[in-house]
Amino acid sequence: MQHQQDSRSYREFIQYLPEVKRYLSELEHQDLWWTTVAMVGKINNENIDPQLLESIVDTQKEFQNLRDIMIEGLIGRYLNQANSEIMLKAQAVIDILIRNLFERTADVGFLATDNDLVDFMASDDVSEETKGFIHRRIEEYVAKYTVYDDVLLVSPEGKVRAKLDESNPVEKSFDPLIQQALTTDEEYVEVYRHSDLFPGKPASLIYAKRIEAEVSGQLRVVGVLCLSFNFEDEVERLFKVLNNEQDGYGVMLVDDSGKVLVANHPEKYPVGKQQACQYGMKEPVRSGNNLYFATKTNGYQGFYGLPWLGYVDVPSEVAFDDKSSKKEINVTIPKDSPLYLRDLEETNLKVSTLLLIVILNGKILSIKRDVKAFLPILDSFQDISVDIQEIFKGFIHHIHQVLVKTIQGKVAFSAALAVEVMDRNLYERANDCRWWALNSTFRQILTEHKQTQAISAEQVERLTEVLAYINKLYTVYTNIMLYDHKGKVLAVSNPAESELVGTLLPRPNDTARCLSLSDTQAYVVSDFHQTDLYSGRHTYIYHAAVKEWGNLQKNVGGIALVFDSEPEFAAMLEETQPKYINNLINDTTFSVFVDRSGLVISSTLPDLSVGTQFEVPAEVLEAESGQNDTVYWEWRSQPYLVGYRVSEGYREYKNGDGYENDVIALVLTGI
């Protein structure tokens, strides 16, 4: 009964699959011809053994069963291909966003403790000069963390004391968010709705945290920091990545009731539109002519954000359309491959063998009984057998090609996601170093140090406290170091590496480049190298210049951030690697980050070590920035389908900011 239900539901998709319709038509033609020939034989050959005619009928049933299995198998492969794309898009839209928003939770926690902002909010009476300083400080912040469109500093009573966007008319807020931020036991408050803090927007994604200051020896709440995330701009960028030039997919974020928050086609899926929504969906569901899928985020480092779902809705004709702009790869799947459809081939052979036995027995019987008139009937069955074998041979090859295309789509999409996640992550690292370099405590102490050539134990302790606090919030670094105008380390965030204090940073060229930076937007990144600063492993180190107090044109030192590349890059690859139903195929799949020379930056394959050379095909290493495609490649005597994507940056990162570092994500699945 279940098989009949599956069969009926599968057959409903045939209208969108012209190749399936063609095969079905050919097979039904053979079935009809079989019936016709059998009937002619039965009518005109009364002396033939009834058992032979029964064998012909039984063999025809075997053929019909194989036909149904193959048609459903082919539809199932097409459906799996469509489902994979739908599910990948839905999961990616929520997971990539959550990764981004995780960074915001650290931002709001750190900025709410910024000394300049805290002192400003703790003062009842401030000069116009101080107000200007705070405004410039906020401008500097958003110039680096460009994901925000406004920043507000609000008193406990709701009075707005500073804001980035001067066109924002708000002067006093009555939003309950303020009181919530003042009293919550949580680290921050996150809301998405309309707020009088940003009256010009129908809805705002806000991160709020109370600001506390020590006043007369006591810790007192002096206000609330509100960061407005530029949600519309961010999801528009995200939709461009996920659409990948494919029209017709409705990609959106919905709340836990299924109401649309934002969509790539707002005219079709307006905000507030109710979508069919089910929790815990295993695969897309058909509703009318469409397929849809909703999924929760997998979370990132324990952060799950607001109860939102990634959602994709697509018409069946679009889902099943051959949308692939990837290179056509005509490969023959080896017989020892886990992809090879042995069961279908064996069933095909069984039907052919049965029919051959029937024909041979029939010919022997016809000669014995001198029923020569039946021989042409048997010859016709032999012709049918040859035709059926050819159809099934082409059929099985076609199913193999559908499997190849499915894998092509998965590895290419996964490679695109991996490099997108990497660029977005490293964008944050470039922001961090530039912003922290502007910390007033750093600037004041390093300026004094340059002037006097001395630094007290109390000053070192203060620098260490600030660095340790930063590193506690931003755990993607193993160490954060401050160095003076000569490259000598003054303080570190990691107490286990305190022996670095007083030494010169290795790689003086990177230090010199940083100390010569001319403005607060510039930064320096080392190449991906092996360093004692990372226990002899490979990583990137991010630098930014610490500016002289009172003069942004002069440098008094620098800050260096040691990125914890090993687990961070590994997590990016693991999270974006494709998953297959067949575990044998999963076992052949791995992902790699390489640079333009093929140097391995990270790999999910244990014996492909970081820092070694991966002999990647030249056409991949030489591909243009942003290119996303697939190639066929034999590596270590194993044939692979390889999806690749060359990085092209995120926002201004690697896009005109002076930093060039092409990384290529590779996803390989063995066939």
Side-chain angles (χ1 to χ4, degrees):
M1 187 67 184
Q2 181 63 44
H3 174 75
Q4 290 178 352
Q5 176 61 39
D6 291 344
S7 175
R8 283 198 300 271
S9 61
Y10 271 26
R11 294 295 177 113
E12 291 173 359
F13 292 114
I14 289 180
Q15 59 184 306
Y16 311 113
L17 300 167
E19 283 296 306
V20 178
K21 288 170 77 173
R22 179 176 67 81
Y23 279 116
L24 183 60
S25 176
E26 290 178 358
L27 291 170
E28 286 182 339
H29 173 75
Q30 293 299 326
D31 188 38
L32 180 61
W33 181 232
W34 192 319
T35 301
T36 303
V37 172
M39 191 170 292
V40 169
K42 188 174 183 180
I43 292 171
N44 295 311
N45 294 276
E46 294 178 1
N47 295 329
I48 204 71
D49 189 341
Q51 188 64 42
L52 178 61
L53 295 174
E54 284 180 23
S55 297
I56 291 172
V57 172
D58 289 342
T59 306
Q60 183 179 14
K61 288 177 181 177
E62 289 281 354
F63 159 71
Q64 291 168 340
N65 185 50
L66 177 60
R67 175 197 63 194
D68 292 344
I69 289 172
M70 284 194 159
I71 289 294
E72 287 169 26
L74 182 53
I75 295 172
R77 263 57 178 205
Y78 274 114
L79 187 58
N80 181 51
Q81 185 181 43
N83 285 348
S84 291
E85 189 148 9
I86 293 167
M87 294 167 73
L88 283 170
K89 287 179 186 291
Q91 196 68 61
V93 72
I94 187 66
D95 280 351
I96 293 179
L97 180 67
I98 288 299
R99 259 186 169 271
N100 189 319
L101 299 185
F102 170 76
E103 300 278 354
R104 313 297 55 100
T105 66
D107 289 350
V108 73
F110 180 65
L111 193 57
T113 60
D114 181 84
N115 286 344
D116 296 318
L117 271 55
V118 171
D119 292 344
F120 173 74
M121 293 303 290
S123 303
D124 295 327
D125 187 23
V126 294
S127 65
E128 290 302 316
E129 182 182 358
T130 301
K131 289 179 181 177
F133 171 76
I134 291 298
H135 186 74
R136 288 191 298 275
R137 188 127 175 86
I138 293 173
E139 283 182 323
E140 282 278 8
Y141 185 79
V142 176
K144 294 154 184 63
Y145 297 90
T146 53
V147 293
Y148 299 112
D149 55 19
D150 207 352
V151 177
L152 299 184
L153 296 175
V154 185
S155 74
E157 296 74 37
K159 181 182 177 183
V160 176
R161 297 193 56 189
K163 56 189 173 186
L164 171 71
D165 184 3
E166 298 287 5
S167 67
N168 183 351
V170 65
E171 294 182 1
K172 185 175 176 64
S173 173
F174 298 93
D175 195 317
L177 169 70
I178 303 301
Q179 192 61 31
Q180 188 180 353
L182 292 171
T183 59
T184 183
D185 292 330
E186 302 296 328
E187 290 295 317
Y188 57 88
V189 176
E190 179 186 28
V191 298
Y192 181 69
R193 54 172 171 72
H194 177 70
S195 171
D196 65 1
L197 290 161
F198 308 101
K201 299 173 70 175
S204 298
L205 182 53
I206 306 169
Y207 291 84
K209 182 175 176 62
R210 63 175 169 268
I211 301 172
E212 298 175 322
E214 192 172 304
V215 180
S216 303
Q218 290 187 329
L219 200 62
R220 184 163 64 88
V221 176
V222 295
V224 175
L225 168 70
C226 297
L227 300 180
S228 172
F229 182 74
N230 196 342
F231 183 62
E232 291 77 12
D233 176 71
E234 177 59 26
V235 293
E236 186 176 328
R237 294 171 186 270
L238 193 47
F239 289 149
K240 284 180 181 177
V241 173
L242 298 176
N243 275 1
N244 204 19
E245 301 176 354
Q246 294 176 357
D247 291 328
Y249 280 82
V251 183
M252 64 203 84
L253 291 162
V254 301
D255 66 16
D256 52 356
S257 71
K259 288 183 180 176
V260 175
L261 300 169
V262 63
N264 63 335
H265 295 299
E267 69 287 348
K268 188 174 180 180
Y269 307 100
V271 173
K273 182 179 180 180
Q274 184 68 50
Q275 297 295 113
C277 196
Q278 300 176 24
Y279 275 97
M281 296 177 69
K282 300 297 183 186
E283 61 184 26
V285 171
R286 189 176 186 196
S287 176
N289 186 48
N290 284 28
L291 291 165
Y292 73 87
F293 182 72
T295 183
K296 293 180 181 179
T297 179
N298 289 318
Y300 180 63
Q301 295 194 11
F303 173 72
Y304 294 89
L306 296 169
W308 293 351
L309 303 172
Y311 195 101
V312 170
D313 181 63
V314 58
S316 295
E317 59 268 24
V318 174
F320 288 107
D321 183 36
D322 184 4
K323 305 165 289 297
S324 177
S325 58
K326 305 294 180 284
K327 182 186 299 179
E328 191 75 28
I329 298 179
N330 292 312
V331 297
T332 300
I333 295 176
K335 289 201 172 186
D336 60 352
S337 167
L339 286 172
Y340 196 82
L341 301 172
R342 293 178 193 80
D343 290 349
L344 288 183
E345 190 175 63
E346 287 169 5
T347 308
N348 181 24
L349 182 61
K350 176 186 174 184
V351 171
S352 300
T353 303
L354 285 173
L355 189 53
L356 180 61
I357 291 170
V358 169
I359 293 167
L360 289 174
N361 286 339
K363 286 189 175 182
I364 292 169
L365 198 60
S366 298
I367 292 169
K368 275 185 177 181
R369 296 194 176 186
D370 197 25
V371 190
K372 295 181 180 179
F374 197 69
L375 290 174
I377 302 296
L378 295 171
D379 288 340
S380 294
F381 276 122
Q382 193 153 356
D383 292 340
I384 290 172
S385 176
V386 171
D387 290 344
I388 288 173
Q389 272 192 300
E390 283 302 306
I391 293 170
F392 279 148
K393 184 179 176 183
F395 199 107
I396 292 170
H397 176 73
H398 184 79
I399 294 181
H400 281 162
Q401 292 309 303
V402 173
L403 290 173
V404 166
K405 280 202 168 187
T406 300
I407 293 173
Q408 267 192 277
K410 280 195 171 188
V411 294
F413 190 69
S414 292
L417 290 184
V419 90
E420 179 74 14
V421 169
M422 175 187 245
D423 275 342
R424 285 164 170 265
N425 187 296
L426 298 185
Y427 155 86
E428 303 287 350
R429 312 298 58 97
N431 297 343
D432 291 346
C433 68
R434 292 178 295 167
W435 174 246
W436 298 340
L438 289 176
N439 180 279
S440 293
T441 299
F442 297 164
R443 292 177 62 194
Q444 289 167 355
I445 293 177
L446 266 65
T447 298
E448 185 178 334
H449 168 63
K450 185 177 181 183
Q451 292 168 348
T452 64
Q453 299 300 304
I455 186 167
S456 68
E458 289 79 14
Q459 288 177 318
V460 171
E461 185 178 352
R462 178 64 183 135
L463 294 177
T464 302
E465 285 176 358
V466 177
L467 289 174
Y469 175 71
I470 294 172
N471 209 165
K472 183 180 177 183
L473 283 172
Y474 295 82
T475 57
V476 296
Y477 306 108
T478 59
N479 203 3
I480 305 172
M481 301 166 287
L482 275 173
Y483 55 92
D484 67 10
H485 58 289
K486 295 180 180 178
K488 185 179 72 174
V489 178
L490 300 177
V492 299
S493 67
N494 186 348
E497 299 183 23
S498 56
E499 74 278 359
L500 291 170
V501 175
T503 67
L504 290 175
L505 275 180
R507 297 174 65 88
N509 285 348
D510 290 341
T511 309
R513 285 165 59 208
C514 175
L515 293 171
S516 66
L517 294 175
S518 59
D519 64 70
T520 59
Q521 285 298 97
Y523 62 97
V524 167
V525 188
S526 72
D527 57 11
F528 189 71
H529 69 291
Q530 200 168 10
T531 173
D532 290 339
L533 296 175
Y534 193 53
S535 303
R537 296 170 293 167
H538 286 74
T539 193
Y540 292 106
I541 298 176
Y542 288 76
H543 296 255
V546 176
K547 299 295 182 179
E548 183 176 275
W549 184 249
N551 186 354
L552 291 174
Q553 305 309 311
K554 291 185 178 180
N555 300 329
V556 292
I559 190 168
L561 285 54
V562 182
F563 182 60
D564 195 4
S565 63
E566 196 172 88
E568 291 298 320
F569 288 150
M572 295 175 202
L573 292 176
E574 289 285 356
E575 290 169 16
T576 55
Q577 194 162 285
K579 301 295 185 292
Y580 300 96
I581 297 171
N582 188 333
N583 283 327
L584 292 174
I585 302 174
N586 283 324
D587 291 342
T588 70
T589 299
F590 65 97
S591 303
V592 192
F593 283 133
V594 298
D595 68 10
R596 285 286 192 185
S597 71
L599 180 78
V600 175
I601 294 171
S602 185
S603 166
T604 61
L605 193 66
D607 64 345
L608 190 60
S609 303
V610 174
T612 59
Q613 288 296 132
F614 191 31
E615 297 177 3
V616 182
E619 67 177 290
V620 175
L621 294 178
E622 296 166 7
E624 295 180 359
S625 291
Q627 187 167 330
N628 181 211
D629 213 327
T630 53
V631 294
Y632 172 79
W633 181 32
E634 288 192 15
W635 182 66
R636 293 181 178 176
S637 302
Q638 165 78 49
Y640 286 94
L641 290 174
V642 185
Y644 68 90
R645 168 73 181 272
V646 185
S647 65
E648 57 181 342
Y650 168 66
R651 294 181 176 267
E652 66 282 356
Y653 175 69
K654 294 187 185 177
N655 288 311
D657 65 354
Y659 178 45
E660 294 183 8
N661 178 43
D662 288 341
V663 173
I664 305 170
L666 301 162
V667 179
L668 297 87
T669 291
I671 59 168

PDB file of all heavy atoms in Angstrom, residues 248-264:
ATOM      1  N   GLY A 248      13.130  32.286  -9.612  1.00  0.00           N
ATOM      2  CA  GLY A 248      11.994  31.424  -9.304  1.00  0.00           C
ATOM      3  C   GLY A 248      11.981  30.880  -7.900  1.00  0.00           C
ATOM      4  O   GLY A 248      10.932  30.439  -7.420  1.00  0.00           O
ATOM      5  N   TYR A 249      13.134  30.876  -7.208  1.00  0.00           N
ATOM      6  CA  TYR A 249      13.176  30.395  -5.830  1.00  0.00           C
ATOM      7  C   TYR A 249      12.736  31.513  -4.885  1.00  0.00           C
ATOM      8  O   TYR A 249      13.265  32.620  -4.940  1.00  0.00           O
ATOM      9  CB  TYR A 249      14.584  29.952  -5.440  1.00  0.00           C
ATOM     10  CG  TYR A 249      14.954  28.584  -5.939  1.00  0.00           C
ATOM     11  CD1 TYR A 249      15.397  28.399  -7.239  1.00  0.00           C
ATOM     12  CD2 TYR A 249      14.862  27.467  -5.111  1.00  0.00           C
ATOM     13  CE1 TYR A 249      15.734  27.137  -7.707  1.00  0.00           C
ATOM     14  CE2 TYR A 249      15.193  26.202  -5.566  1.00  0.00           C
ATOM     15  CZ  TYR A 249      15.631  26.048  -6.870  1.00  0.00           C
ATOM     16  OH  TYR A 249      15.955  24.798  -7.328  1.00  0.00           O
ATOM     17  N   GLY A 250      11.784  31.194  -4.031  1.00  0.00           N
ATOM     18  CA  GLY A 250      11.420  32.112  -2.961  1.00  0.00           C
ATOM     19  C   GLY A 250      12.258  31.776  -1.747  1.00  0.00           C
ATOM     20  O   GLY A 250      12.052  30.749  -1.100  1.00  0.00           O
ATOM     21  N   VAL A 251      13.261  32.602  -1.456  1.00  0.00           N
ATOM     22  CA  VAL A 251      14.136  32.388  -0.302  1.00  0.00           C
ATOM     23  C   VAL A 251      13.804  33.456   0.723  1.00  0.00           C
ATOM     24  O   VAL A 251      13.776  34.648   0.404  1.00  0.00           O
ATOM     25  CB  VAL A 251      15.626  32.480  -0.700  1.00  0.00           C
ATOM     26  CG1 VAL A 251      16.522  32.175   0.492  1.00  0.00           C
ATOM     27  CG2 VAL A 251      15.927  31.537  -1.850  1.00  0.00           C
ATOM     28  N   MET A 252      13.542  33.030   1.959  1.00  0.00           N
ATOM     29  CA  MET A 252      13.086  34.007   2.950  1.00  0.00           C
ATOM     30  C   MET A 252      13.425  33.575   4.359  1.00  0.00           C
ATOM     31  O   MET A 252      13.857  32.442   4.614  1.00  0.00           O
ATOM     32  CB  MET A 252      11.575  34.218   2.804  1.00  0.00           C
ATOM     33  CG  MET A 252      10.723  33.008   3.105  1.00  0.00           C
ATOM     34  SD  MET A 252       9.082  33.071   2.311  1.00  0.00           S
ATOM     35  CE  MET A 252       9.446  32.422   0.672  1.00  0.00           C
ATOM     36  N   LEU A 253      13.239  34.512   5.269  1.00  0.00           N
ATOM     37  CA  LEU A 253      13.291  34.233   6.698  1.00  0.00           C
ATOM     38  C   LEU A 253      11.882  34.410   7.226  1.00  0.00           C
ATOM     39  O   LEU A 253      11.203  35.389   6.881  1.00  0.00           O
ATOM     40  CB  LEU A 253      14.249  35.197   7.405  1.00  0.00           C
ATOM     41  CG  LEU A 253      15.728  35.009   7.079  1.00  0.00           C
ATOM     42  CD1 LEU A 253      16.515  36.245   7.471  1.00  0.00           C
ATOM     43  CD2 LEU A 253      16.289  33.785   7.776  1.00  0.00           C
ATOM     44  N   VAL A 254      11.441  33.457   8.040  1.00  0.00           N
ATOM     45  CA  VAL A 254      10.103  33.555   8.638  1.00  0.00           C
ATOM     46  C   VAL A 254      10.244  33.416  10.147  1.00  0.00           C
ATOM     47  O   VAL A 254      11.229  32.866  10.655  1.00  0.00           O
ATOM     48  CB  VAL A 254       9.146  32.465   8.082  1.00  0.00           C
ATOM     49  CG1 VAL A 254       9.011  32.584   6.569  1.00  0.00           C
ATOM     50  CG2 VAL A 254       9.616  31.066   8.466  1.00  0.00           C
ATOM     51  N   ASP A 255       9.254  33.928  10.882  1.00  0.00           N
ATOM     52  CA  ASP A 255       9.290  33.755  12.333  1.00  0.00           C
ATOM     53  C   ASP A 255       8.750  32.375  12.698  1.00  0.00           C
ATOM     54  O   ASP A 255       8.402  31.573  11.821  1.00  0.00           O
ATOM     55  CB  ASP A 255       8.543  34.890  13.045  1.00  0.00           C
ATOM     56  CG  ASP A 255       7.042  34.895  12.767  1.00  0.00           C
ATOM     57  OD1 ASP A 255       6.506  33.867  12.277  1.00  0.00           O
ATOM     58  OD2 ASP A 255       6.394  35.917  13.048  1.00  0.00           O
ATOM     59  N   ASP A 256       8.660  32.099  13.990  1.00  0.00           N
ATOM     60  CA  ASP A 256       8.279  30.744  14.401  1.00  0.00           C
ATOM     61  C   ASP A 256       6.824  30.409  14.122  1.00  0.00           C
ATOM     62  O   ASP A 256       6.413  29.253  14.262  1.00  0.00           O
ATOM     63  CB  ASP A 256       8.600  30.517  15.880  1.00  0.00           C
ATOM     64  CG  ASP A 256       8.026  31.607  16.773  1.00  0.00           C
ATOM     65  OD1 ASP A 256       7.444  32.562  16.239  1.00  0.00           O
ATOM     66  OD2 ASP A 256       8.169  31.492  18.003  1.00  0.00           O
ATOM     67  N   SER A 257       6.039  31.406  13.693  1.00  0.00           N
ATOM     68  CA  SER A 257       4.658  31.119  13.302  1.00  0.00           C
ATOM     69  C   SER A 257       4.518  30.976  11.785  1.00  0.00           C
ATOM     70  O   SER A 257       3.439  30.669  11.283  1.00  0.00           O
ATOM     71  CB  SER A 257       3.724  32.229  13.793  1.00  0.00           C
ATOM     72  OG  SER A 257       3.932  33.426  13.057  1.00  0.00           O
ATOM     73  N   GLY A 258       5.629  31.223  11.063  1.00  0.00           N
ATOM     74  CA  GLY A 258       5.602  31.096   9.606  1.00  0.00           C
ATOM     75  C   GLY A 258       5.350  32.395   8.874  1.00  0.00           C
ATOM     76  O   GLY A 258       5.215  32.395   7.645  1.00  0.00           O
ATOM     77  N   LYS A 259       5.320  33.528   9.587  1.00  0.00           N
ATOM     78  CA  LYS A 259       5.103  34.815   8.917  1.00  0.00           C
ATOM     79  C   LYS A 259       6.412  35.338   8.340  1.00  0.00           C
ATOM     80  O   LYS A 259       7.458  35.278   8.985  1.00  0.00           O
ATOM     81  CB  LYS A 259       4.515  35.833   9.895  1.00  0.00           C
ATOM     82  CG  LYS A 259       3.062  35.540  10.245  1.00  0.00           C
ATOM     83  CD  LYS A 259       2.492  36.599  11.164  1.00  0.00           C
ATOM     84  CE  LYS A 259       1.023  36.280  11.502  1.00  0.00           C
ATOM     85  NZ  LYS A 259       0.463  37.256  12.470  1.00  0.00           N
ATOM     86  N   VAL A 260       6.335  35.858   7.111  1.00  0.00           N
ATOM     87  CA  VAL A 260       7.525  36.322   6.403  1.00  0.00           C
ATOM     88  C   VAL A 260       8.106  37.562   7.083  1.00  0.00           C
ATOM     89  O   VAL A 260       7.401  38.543   7.338  1.00  0.00           O
ATOM     90  CB  VAL A 260       7.189  36.636   4.929  1.00  0.00           C
ATOM     91  CG1 VAL A 260       8.404  37.235   4.228  1.00  0.00           C
ATOM     92  CG2 VAL A 260       6.713  35.375   4.204  1.00  0.00           C
ATOM     93  N   LEU A 261       9.414  37.507   7.353  1.00  0.00           N
ATOM     94  CA  LEU A 261      10.142  38.667   7.883  1.00  0.00           C
ATOM     95  C   LEU A 261      10.799  39.435   6.746  1.00  0.00           C
ATOM     96  O   LEU A 261      10.802  40.659   6.727  1.00  0.00           O
ATOM     97  CB  LEU A 261      11.213  38.201   8.867  1.00  0.00           C
ATOM     98  CG  LEU A 261      10.716  37.422  10.089  1.00  0.00           C
ATOM     99  CD1 LEU A 261      11.886  36.798  10.831  1.00  0.00           C
ATOM    100  CD2 LEU A 261       9.930  38.339  11.017  1.00  0.00           C
ATOM    101  N   VAL A 262      11.366  38.685   5.811  1.00  0.00           N
ATOM    102  CA  VAL A 262      12.020  39.285   4.649  1.00  0.00           C
ATOM    103  C   VAL A 262      12.155  38.207   3.591  1.00  0.00           C
ATOM    104  O   VAL A 262      12.296  37.024   3.915  1.00  0.00           O
ATOM    105  CB  VAL A 262      13.401  39.867   5.032  1.00  0.00           C
ATOM    106  CG1 VAL A 262      14.348  38.770   5.507  1.00  0.00           C
ATOM    107  CG2 VAL A 262      14.025  40.661   3.898  1.00  0.00           C
ATOM    108  N   ALA A 263      12.080  38.606   2.310  1.00  0.00           N
ATOM    109  CA  ALA A 263      12.149  37.624   1.220  1.00  0.00           C
ATOM    110  C   ALA A 263      12.892  38.213   0.038  1.00  0.00           C
ATOM    111  O   ALA A 263      12.964  39.438  -0.130  1.00  0.00           O
ATOM    112  CB  ALA A 263      10.737  37.199   0.798  1.00  0.00           C
ATOM    113  N   ASN A 264      13.429  37.332  -0.794  1.00  0.00           N
ATOM    114  CA  ASN A 264      14.144  37.810  -1.979  1.00  0.00           C
ATOM    115  C   ASN A 264      13.190  38.335  -3.049  1.00  0.00           C
ATOM    116  O   ASN A 264      13.588  39.102  -3.917  1.00  0.00           O
ATOM    117  CB  ASN A 264      15.023  36.702  -2.551  1.00  0.00           C
ATOM    118  CG  ASN A 264      14.224  35.495  -3.028  1.00  0.00           C
ATOM    119  OD1 ASN A 264      13.111  35.248  -2.561  1.00  0.00           O
ATOM    120  ND2 ASN A 264      14.789  34.727  -3.946  1.00  0.00           N
TER     121      ASN A 264
END
